Amino acid sequence: MRLDSCLATAKAGWRASERKNNMDEMNLIKIPKRVLNALLSSMAAGVVPRAGAKYIAIGRTAEITAICKDLENVSEGGSATRFLIGKYGSGKSFLIQLMRGYAVERGFVCADADLSPERRLSSSGGGGLATYRELVKNLSTKSSPDGGALSQMISKWLSDIQYAVTQDGIYPESPVFEKEVSARIYAVLREIETGVGAFDFARVIDSYYRAWKEGDERRQSDCLRWLRGEFTTKTEARAALSVSGIINDDNWYDYIKLLAAFSRKIGYGGLVIFIDECVNLYKIPNRVSRENNYEKILSIFNDTLQGKAEGLEIIFAGTPQFLEDTRRGLFSYEALRSRLVDNMFGREAAAVSASGQMFGPIMRLARLSDDELLALLARVTVLFKRGYGNVDVKPEEMRDFLYYMLDRAGADTMITPREIIRAYLTALGMVLQSGGKMRLLDIYRKESAFAEEPKEKSKPTDFDPEDIEF
């Protein structure tokens, strides 16, 4: 995978001098109606769109470059861990969906999950297993970009092996055809039988192949249930598949590593895991439970940076409190704090570049520049016109709207793209509904005047204690 091709889409629209050309290009790009409607609805609600993120991708040059370099390393058998840190609405989830789309298009297997009170990294009540199940459910490939790609991955691999055997001159009617196919399958499985749980994993894949060959759909279903972590007891798994272990809270991460190694062996670039809403770990009230989750992050961090997780990258996304709080955040766990805290040169890098230092595991998302925000409004305008109808908005009005949003107290550091886009889409909707009677300028000036209108205050002399009834 070439880094230049990975950045090609994201570079469109980054310079203000190219804004008009980018709007013309956006008008020529064909966007499926389903994706366009989902994109507009998600942006209006302040939710990150799962599909179509590339159509509104603006900025984040340093972050995208760093992650694309990680993908190159993963495709060669390396591994990596990243932490995306930013405030609510700063673009963490958007960047995750954008990079998920890039990785899937370039031959990687991707999976994403949002942590919650029910989904954690370590838990005695099934929280870790719930996270694993969510990740497997959301497994995506180029041919299955919306998730549920596990069975498709295995079936495609088996079909590819049969095709390769045929290309070598051994045809299905030959008596050695099945023997050659089996030999190639077992050669792959033997290569991954070195990790924890690898024997059971390989045995389940072998059982799936036998059931696939014989047309036994029930056994195929049992194999997929085991791989998805849906067997609750070892007795049940032994009766169905003759394996001695199951995926549970204690070992789910080991099977993620096996999935990463397996995906590389069957022709994919590797496995990229995105774990969002990590602030839910910060919110765990019990200190022991919270530290167990941080211990799992430490294990993942050590494995990926020491080369013990072939073909795997895991990206965590959370708020500054999740990282830096010394009482409940990652920095409260000394082993992680000593690995992740900025050194004096890291602080110098942050002072030199708004994006900070991208060579370490921490990626702090800075506010988009004014030019990038203006280019974003231009793209949103084009999408709005396509989805809801023509609305007359001049470039000068977009600029003035952005200046109005940025001119409020504290906006330089506190405002986020989510807040700007939601307000802008609401204003565009009002302009459209007015039938041309209102301009964008009229809407935010009216809102500003309403906000500044002084309210009449009651005077102390207007109050009479005798008016009180008991």
Side-chain angles (χ1 to χ4, degrees):
M1 181 191 67
R2 293 181 58 83
L3 179 61
D4 295 341
S5 64
C6 189
L7 294 174
T9 306
K11 286 184 177 178
W14 288 349
R15 294 184 298 175
S17 61
E18 297 176 350
R19 192 176 303 113
K20 184 177 183 302
N21 292 334
N22 289 329
M23 289 186 67
D24 294 338
E25 291 175 4
M26 281 294 294
N27 285 321
L28 296 175
I29 295 175
K30 186 176 181 180
I31 305 175
K33 190 68 174 178
R34 175 183 61 86
V35 174
L36 178 61
N37 291 336
L39 190 59
L40 289 170
S41 300
S42 299
M43 289 191 296
V47 179
V48 176
R50 187 168 179 85
K54 63 182 180 181
Y55 297 116
I56 54 172
I58 295 291
R60 303 300 181 204
T61 317
E63 293 87 346
I64 293 174
T65 302
I67 296 177
C68 285
K69 287 181 177 178
D70 287 346
L71 294 181
E72 286 186 337
N73 181 40
V74 169
S75 67
E76 296 173 358
S79 52
T81 296
R82 290 279 185 175
F83 295 86
L84 295 182
I85 303 300
K87 297 179 295 184
Y88 291 110
S90 62
K92 301 183 299 297
S93 301
F94 177 82
L95 185 58
I96 281 177
Q97 294 302 327
L98 180 65
M99 294 311 303
R100 186 182 73 87
Y102 284 162
V104 163
E105 285 294 324
R106 284 154 184 81
F108 287 86
V109 181
C110 294
D112 62 295
D114 292 348
L115 297 185
S116 68
E118 294 76 30
R119 289 197 291 266
R120 299 177 179 178
L121 301 180
S122 176
S123 171
S124 59
L129 181 58
T131 301
Y132 173 85
R133 289 174 177 171
E134 182 72 8
L135 289 171
V136 174
K137 184 187 76 172
N138 293 332
L139 273 178
S140 305
T141 61
K142 190 173 183 178
S143 56
S144 299
D146 296 326
L150 180 60
S151 61
Q152 179 269 336
M153 286 170 56
I154 302 175
S155 298
K156 180 179 179 297
W157 170 56
L158 297 175
S159 298
D160 289 345
I161 288 180
Q162 288 187 330
Y163 178 75
V165 172
T166 303
Q167 290 296 102
D168 290 342
I170 305 175
Y171 298 100
E173 57 272 13
S174 172
V176 298
F177 179 80
E178 291 296 338
K179 183 177 180 181
E180 180 64 22
V181 171
S182 299
R184 298 193 184 192
I185 290 173
Y186 298 145
V188 173
L189 296 179
R190 280 195 296 271
E191 292 181 13
I192 63 173
E193 283 186 350
T194 57
V196 176
F199 179 79
D200 286 338
F201 183 87
R203 189 160 188 171
V204 170
I205 297 295
D206 176 50
S207 295
Y208 184 92
Y209 163 64
R210 294 179 183 276
W212 179 77
K213 183 175 63 175
E214 297 168 2
D216 187 346
E217 294 185 0
R218 180 177 179 179
R219 192 169 181 82
Q220 290 182 58
S221 178
D222 287 339
C223 293
L224 292 176
R225 283 184 58 214
W226 190 92
L227 291 170
R228 290 193 295 258
E230 296 177 2
F231 279 102
T232 56
T233 64
K234 294 181 180 179
T235 303
E236 184 184 7
R238 188 180 298 111
L241 298 171
S242 301
V243 293
S244 59
I246 58 173
I247 302 172
N248 54 36
D249 278 326
D250 298 327
N251 62 14
W252 67 268
Y253 168 61
D254 295 320
Y255 287 97
I256 289 291
K257 292 192 289 185
L258 287 172
L259 274 176
F262 179 67
S263 66
R264 289 199 71 247
K265 299 300 182 184
I266 64 176
Y268 294 94
L271 176 62
V272 185
I273 299 289
F274 300 94
I275 299 180
D276 201 358
E277 302 296 345
C278 290
V279 70
N280 282 291
L281 302 182
Y282 163 84
K283 294 178 181 178
I284 296 175
N286 184 274
R287 181 182 62 84
V288 175
S289 179
R290 190 169 59 247
E291 289 187 353
N292 287 340
N293 281 268
Y294 292 163
E295 179 70 31
K296 181 67 73 174
I297 292 179
L298 177 64
S299 175
I300 293 171
F301 186 81
N302 288 338
D303 283 352
T304 53
L305 269 68
Q306 293 174 354
K308 297 179 180 179
E310 177 188 349
L312 175 65
E313 177 168 17
I314 298 183
I315 299 177
F316 298 96
T319 62
Q321 292 82 4
F322 158 70
L323 175 70
E324 298 170 351
D325 192 297
T326 56
R327 294 182 63 250
R328 301 181 62 160
L330 291 182
F331 284 4
S332 67
Y333 195 74
E334 181 59 28
L336 281 171
R337 190 200 69 82
S338 62
R339 288 164 169 80
L340 301 178
V341 69
D342 286 335
N343 54 45
M344 58 181 178
F345 298 112
R347 300 188 194 99
E348 288 291 332
V352 171
S353 170
S355 299
Q357 193 267 114
M358 294 296 159
F359 299 101
I362 304 297
M363 300 172 64
R364 289 183 170 84
L365 301 187
R367 183 177 80 82
L368 294 176
S369 69
D370 294 352
D371 283 345
E372 290 168 346
L373 289 172
L374 190 53
L376 179 59
L377 292 185
R379 290 197 174 188
V380 170
T381 303
V382 173
L383 295 175
F384 186 89
K385 289 180 179 179
R386 287 195 185 187
Y388 300 119
N390 191 32
V391 58
D392 185 17
V393 178
K394 294 180 171 57
E396 296 77 14
E397 292 179 296
M398 297 182 206
R399 181 196 61 203
D400 293 342
F401 177 86
L402 180 61
Y403 286 170
Y404 166 75
M405 295 293 293
L406 297 177
D407 195 43
R408 295 181 297 169
D412 285 344
T413 56
M414 300 300 294
I415 200 165
T416 61
R418 175 186 294 170
E419 182 179 355
I420 293 175
I421 291 176
R422 289 188 65 203
Y424 187 65
L425 284 172
T426 301
L428 287 181
M430 295 174 67
V431 172
L432 182 64
Q433 291 175 351
S434 71
K437 296 178 181 179
M438 297 179 66
R439 306 292 304 179
L440 197 60
L441 181 65
D442 300 329
I443 294 172
Y444 64 77
R445 276 188 176 176
K446 181 178 179 181
E447 191 275 338
S448 179
F450 177 79
E452 295 174 0
E453 183 179 347
K455 296 182 180 180
E456 183 179 355
K457 299 181 180 179
S458 60
K459 298 178 182 179
T461 55
D462 295 337
F463 176 71
D464 186 357
E466 298 295 331
D467 293 336
I468 301 177
E469 294 182 356
F470 293 94

